[in-house]
Amino acid sequence: MSISPPSDKVWWKEPIEKTELIWISIVFVWGVFMTFMMPYWHVVGDQNLPNETYRVTPEQFMAKAQGMVDQFTVGEHGPQKTPIVHPPAGSDVYLVARLWSWWPVLELEKGQSYRVHLSSLDWQHGFSLQPANINIQVVPDYEYVVNLTPDESGEYSLICNEYCGIGHHLMIGKLLVVE
Amino acid sequence: MNTNFRVCPETGFHVHKPAELLMKANAVAAVVFLLVGGTFGLLVGLTRWPAVHLLPADQFYLVLTAHGLNVLIFWIIFFEIALLYFCSAVLLKCRLATPKLGWVAFALMLIGALLNNYIVMQGNSSVMMTSYTPMGADPLFYLSLILFAVGALIGTFIFFGTLAIAKAENTYEGSVPLVTFGATVAAIIAVFTIVSGAIILIPTFLWSVGLVAHIDPLMYRMIWWAFGHSSQQINVSAHISIWYFIAAVVFGAKPLSEKVSRTAFLMYILFLQLASVHHLLVDPGLSSNYKMFNTSYAMYLAVMASMVHGLTVPGAIEAAQRARGFNKGLFEWLTKAPWGNPVFSGMFISLVGFGFLGGITGVVMGVEQINILIHNTVYVPGHFHATVVIGTTLAFMALTYWLVPVLFRRDLVMKGLAKWQPYIFGLGMTGVSLFLMGAGTLGVPRRHWDIGFAGTGMTHDFPAAAYTMMALNGMSVVLAVVGGAAFCIIIVASLLFGRKLGEEKSSPALAAEMVTDDEYKTLHASGGITVPGTLCLTFIFFASFAAYYFINWKYLSQTWGIS
């Protein structure tokens, strides 16, 4: 009885039902399998977030981003005249999250890898690249370096999916992928 | 006989009167906060329904903050305190330790909950339940949560105190009942949870009044989720205890084996309170090794425990029903169950919804890499409305239908509506869960006022299916709110106007005759699989789980390279 003390005082010596044994074996093996899948994907899979993180101040991060923008700007985008930056393939690129915009607009080449540095100048934000649906937390004081390899050309949207105050839903940017 | 006890004429429980008063107070407060939080939930759902878009942005974020706190914290924890008192004082036929401190705990929780609502309504603390730094709220926002948590901690220790008294005064023989064992696991996790909350909320409060210079945002996330995620593990332990409880009182069922069920609960203490990293899988600063270890509860050992309960609870019901003669085919035991009794139907919908919708999706989204596709999309609230609302809240509702005649000795009113209530609420919440998860798969962000991005001069065109699913979610919210409102009305009306039962018995019977060992003997005589129907259901569950798991790996493999 579940609501009174077990009738058999030495309940830990009761035999286990066969049904239970079958099920416990299945779920245990399944758990071991799922445990194995994550490191396995680190070895064979192409989608794994890295561990590379640095401490950074907003000023330091903004200075690095500004340096990239000064060197590689190729145009302007949108009503805010956000610079479009076309950095060399394989290089370090910087994406600034702040209340309430993404800066600058990155123009990447399809099939090339980039070291994308992510940080916030103020509160926490959420890097959400659509429609590729890649979602990464962006935290102030920390610079996260993620290697991204676009697999299709087109105009992607960068939306914020970490609540960041009253203008959260206005925080949208673009990321361009060219052939 | 101690005059502080009364014997329940229907269940035979010895109820300590001061404990009963405290249970009543905590349970009533719980239902009130459910009503408040559910109303906010309706406003959230209607605002995220694109064609309705009810509230302006500032009010939406305010109401979303209030919704989360009222239902996820205040309703659930008030109810859990009542449940802890029930599982100790009533089930062990014992007096409650220090009822006076129980009232102090209740007062602190009530003041904290009211103060929190007041502060959030002021409009300068729309920081969501998570209140991630460096975004700041009014200092009283943190203080109100600390007061509430201190109250809850006192309540938890009164539970431990009552266990000690029961042991010292020999009010029971042998081991505590399984349900009390499950409640003890919930209480142990609660201590860990509340201490984690104190470790992060006290410095954040000091930061908000200027006494601490800096709260590291990653540290905040890490420790806050040791509190935020573990608090959901209290719910899991609590509502699974309720499943066993309802199987016992409705069917007279005993567990298939005490050893298996208790070991599964024990594994919760050891492993379930990992998994705070479910929320940090796409964060900087944490190593993959740590993420993999934590997110998998060491080796999916807590998932294993939940899957074991998923077999043993319906298995106990099947064994009891078969012993009573419902032996035809695989499922006569289930089809002949009392589907018109909301105590049972609520519990069973809770079990199925928690497993199929909440459990499977929780494990899949908790895979380190798959989380990249899901983090902070509306998939996340889709998932936890299956665990916390269909799983926990519906189980609590089912138990409440049982508790009203026992504690208040009043008959339920509107029994016809009560019969339908778990289905309406369950169906509505299933819709909420499925449509939010569908929209989340298409990238729709959570906690977001306008996925049309009006006024930005830029736009992102979510697929039409995403808009359709957010509309279907809105409709499901309305249905669920109808079910939730029906619950609150039935309970409040029963407390006020329900026929006084006195010594009379209510219908359906509150405590079924226990299935005897002799009756079980006929079941075991065949020697083979005693609960084939349940085993069949768990195989269906496993097939769905595995299919969904691999579909998501496939989906992940199709996005950009990330390394």
Side-chain angles (χ1 to χ4, degrees):
Chain A
M1 258 303 282
S2 314
I3 57 172
S4 50
S7 47
D8 187 354
K9 270 197 178 177
V10 279
W11 49 264
W12 53 90
K13 288 197 177 162
E14 284 172 14
I16 298 176
E17 287 262 351
K18 200 192 230 171
T19 326
E20 288 178 310
L21 279 177
I22 295 171
W23 183 239
I24 290 169
S25 319
I26 293 172
V27 298
F28 179 77
V29 170
W30 176 236
V32 172
F33 173 79
M34 291 195 297
T35 307
F36 168 74
M37 267 308 280
M38 290 187 285
Y40 173 74
W41 197 260
H42 274 280
V43 177
V44 304
D46 290 329
Q47 293 82 15
N48 290 288
L49 279 171
N51 298 331
E52 190 175 352
T53 306
Y54 304 96
R55 284 190 181 276
V56 72
T57 65
E59 295 74 26
Q60 288 166 345
F61 191 72
M62 189 61 196
K64 290 193 245 185
Q66 190 68 56
M68 173 193 72
V69 169
D70 290 344
Q71 218 177 337
F72 301 115
T73 295
V74 293
E76 284 177 348
H77 184 276
Q80 308 297 323
K81 303 202 184 310
T82 313
I84 300 173
V85 179
H86 190 114
S91 67
D92 288 83
V93 302
Y94 298 85
L95 183 65
V96 175
R98 59 188 177 192
L99 302 169
W100 286 287
S101 63
W102 298 98
W103 189 89
V105 172
L106 298 172
E107 186 179 272
L108 309 179
E109 289 168 26
K110 178 184 161 182
Q112 300 291 336
S113 290
Y114 296 84
R115 284 168 51 80
V116 180
H117 297 237
L118 296 168
S119 191
S120 163
L121 302 187
D122 33 59
W123 292 352
Q124 300 193 21
H125 297 287
F127 171 98
S128 181
L129 184 75
Q130 297 300 338
N133 204 10
I134 294 169
N135 305 284
I136 302 168
Q137 191 76 18
V138 183
V139 182
D141 306 343
Y142 291 91
E143 181 174 343
Y144 198 7
V145 188
V146 181
N147 289 287
L148 289 179
T149 314
D151 64 354
E152 233 174 296
S153 57
E155 184 185 289
Y156 290 81
S157 298
L158 262 179
I159 60 183
C160 179
N161 70 4
E162 182 57 76
Y163 171 69
C164 56
I166 186 63
H168 168 51
H169 50 276
L170 303 175
M171 187 165 168
I172 177 170
K174 292 290 169 182
L175 189 149
L176 310 173
V177 178
V178 294
E179 291 287 336
Chain B
M1 171 92 205
N2 190 330
T3 52
N4 257 341
F5 283 85
R6 71 171 177 87
V7 178
C8 174
E10 287 194 69
T11 58
F13 283 141
H14 294 248
V15 185
H16 183 228
K17 287 181 194 165
E20 185 174 28
L21 266 182
L22 274 166
M23 284 185 264
K24 287 180 179 177
N26 280 284
V28 169
V31 173
V32 170
F33 285 104
L34 174 66
L35 186 64
V36 174
T39 309
F40 290 134
L42 175 65
L43 298 174
V44 171
L46 290 178
T47 305
R48 292 220 66 175
W49 183 344
V52 180
H53 213 219
L54 184 70
L55 296 178
D58 57 337
Q59 289 180 23
F60 169 74
Y61 292 128
L62 182 155
V63 160
L64 184 52
T65 305
H67 169 60
L69 288 160
N70 277 292
V71 284
L72 207 51
I73 307 280
F74 305 144
W75 138 251
I76 283 183
I77 294 183
F78 269 117
F79 196 92
E80 279 165 352
I81 294 296
L83 185 70
L84 287 182
Y85 295 164
F86 182 84
C87 291
S88 52
V90 178
L91 292 186
L92 299 179
K93 301 185 174 75
C94 179
R95 65 188 170 88
L96 189 75
T98 66
K100 276 184 190 151
L101 259 185
W103 288 106
V104 173
F106 178 73
L108 280 172
M109 289 168 67
L110 192 62
I111 292 167
L114 291 173
L115 180 62
N116 185 273
N117 271 289
Y118 172 75
I119 287 299
V120 170
M121 288 305 126
Q122 298 300 301
N124 58 350
S125 297
S126 301
V127 292
M128 304 295 137
M129 197 181 88
T130 44
S131 56
Y132 289 138
T133 63
M135 179 168 52
D138 191 295
L140 288 176
F141 176 87
Y142 308 107
L143 189 64
S144 62
L145 291 176
I146 294 167
L147 288 178
F148 185 86
V150 170
L153 191 62
I154 294 173
T156 309
F157 275 96
I158 291 173
F159 169 81
F160 291 127
T162 308
L163 291 187
I165 291 173
K167 187 86 196 159
E169 298 183 354
N170 292 317
T171 63
Y172 64 97
E173 278 184 43
S175 306
V176 296
L178 176 63
V179 173
T180 307
F181 189 83
T184 309
V185 168
I188 291 169
I189 298 177
V191 173
F192 171 87
T193 301
I194 296 170
V195 169
S196 303
I199 291 172
I200 197 62
L201 285 176
I202 292 171
T204 307
F205 166 67
L206 296 175
W207 167 75
S208 73
V209 294
L211 291 173
V212 166
H214 182 66
I215 299 286
D216 184 279
L218 269 188
M219 176 198 73
Y220 180 93
R221 290 171 63 77
M222 178 111 181
I223 304 176
W224 195 92
W225 280 113
F227 159 68
H229 200 89
S230 302
S231 69
Q232 306 318 310
Q233 321 295 27
I234 309 172
N235 304 343
V236 173
S237 311
H239 77 230
I240 290 177
S241 303
I242 290 175
W243 294 348
Y244 281 109
F245 179 84
I246 289 176
V249 295
V250 174
F251 297 95
K254 70 169 192 178
L256 294 176
S257 79
E258 294 275 353
K259 181 162 52 179
V260 170
S261 295
R262 284 172 199 248
T263 307
F265 270 124
L266 194 65
M267 285 164 87
Y268 280 168
I269 304 181
L270 300 175
F271 301 108
L272 195 59
Q273 51 195 291
L274 291 170
S276 53
V277 115
H278 282 182
H279 307 263
L280 316 175
L281 290 173
V282 299
D283 275 28
L286 297 172
S287 76
S288 296
N289 290 343
Y290 174 71
K291 286 175 179 173
M292 287 187 288
F293 174 78
N294 181 301
T295 196
S296 67
Y297 307 95
M299 209 173 63
Y300 290 97
L301 291 171
V303 174
M304 175 177 165
S306 288
M307 287 167 79
V308 168
H309 290 304
L311 171 93
T312 57
V313 173
I317 294 174
E318 180 174 359
Q321 289 279 78
R322 283 186 186 275
R324 286 263 158 82
F326 296 108
N327 249 322
K328 216 183 290 166
L330 275 179
F331 294 117
E332 194 196 16
W333 62 276
L334 194 56
T335 53
K336 292 285 169 62
W339 292 101
N341 178 356
V343 178
F344 167 71
S345 64
M347 170 261 162
F348 207 80
I349 297 169
S350 159
L351 175 100
V352 173
F354 181 77
F356 277 86
L357 286 176
I360 291 176
T361 61
V363 173
V364 170
M365 72 198 274
V367 171
E368 190 209 353
Q369 294 93 341
I370 292 174
N371 191 258
I372 297 170
L373 301 174
I374 287 168
H375 179 72
N376 273 355
T377 66
V378 281
Y379 190 102
V380 179
H383 153 75
F384 70 66
H385 278 76
T387 54
V388 174
V389 192
I390 305 178
T392 306
T393 295
L394 197 48
F396 287 4
M397 285 174 169
L399 183 66
T400 306
Y401 286 122
W402 188 88
L403 281 175
V404 166
V406 172
L407 292 184
F408 294 88
R409 292 307 295 149
R410 282 186 188 265
D411 205 15
L412 285 179
V413 299
M414 297 184 266
K415 284 187 178 168
L417 181 61
K419 202 182 260 192
W420 285 101
Q421 188 274 335
Y423 297 98
I424 301 170
F425 189 73
L427 187 67
M429 269 306 151
T430 300
V432 169
S433 176
L434 286 174
F435 296 128
L436 287 182
M437 290 194 285
T441 306
L442 298 171
V444 174
R446 69 185 291 199
R447 296 174 167 177
H448 200 279
W449 181 68
D450 179 20
I451 57 171
F453 303 94
T456 61
M458 269 188 241
T459 190
H460 172 69
D461 290 321
F462 281 105
Y467 282 88
T468 309
M469 280 196 265
M470 291 310 285
L472 289 169
N473 169 62
M475 294 171 206
S476 306
V477 166
V478 173
L479 187 63
V481 166
V482 168
F487 170 78
C488 293
I489 291 167
I490 292 165
I491 297 307
V492 172
S494 299
L495 297 189
L496 296 176
F497 312 115
R499 194 165 48 83
K500 290 195 173 159
L501 286 166
E503 296 299 301
E504 193 190 327
K505 299 217 170 187
S506 56
S507 150
L510 291 176
E513 287 289 320
M514 288 303 138
V515 180
T516 61
D517 285 350
D518 275 352
E519 287 172 298
Y520 276 122
K521 252 181 210 142
T522 57
L523 179 69
H524 291 286
S526 60
I529 302 286
T530 46
V531 289
T534 302
L535 194 61
C536 177
L537 291 177
T538 54
F539 284 161
I540 296 171
F541 173 81
F542 182 74
S544 322
F545 191 166
Y548 191 67
Y549 183 75
F550 289 117
I551 286 169
N552 276 275
W553 277 111
K554 175 80 184 150
Y555 181 35
L556 176 74
S557 72
Q558 288 164 348
T559 194
W560 291 15
I562 305 165
S563 61

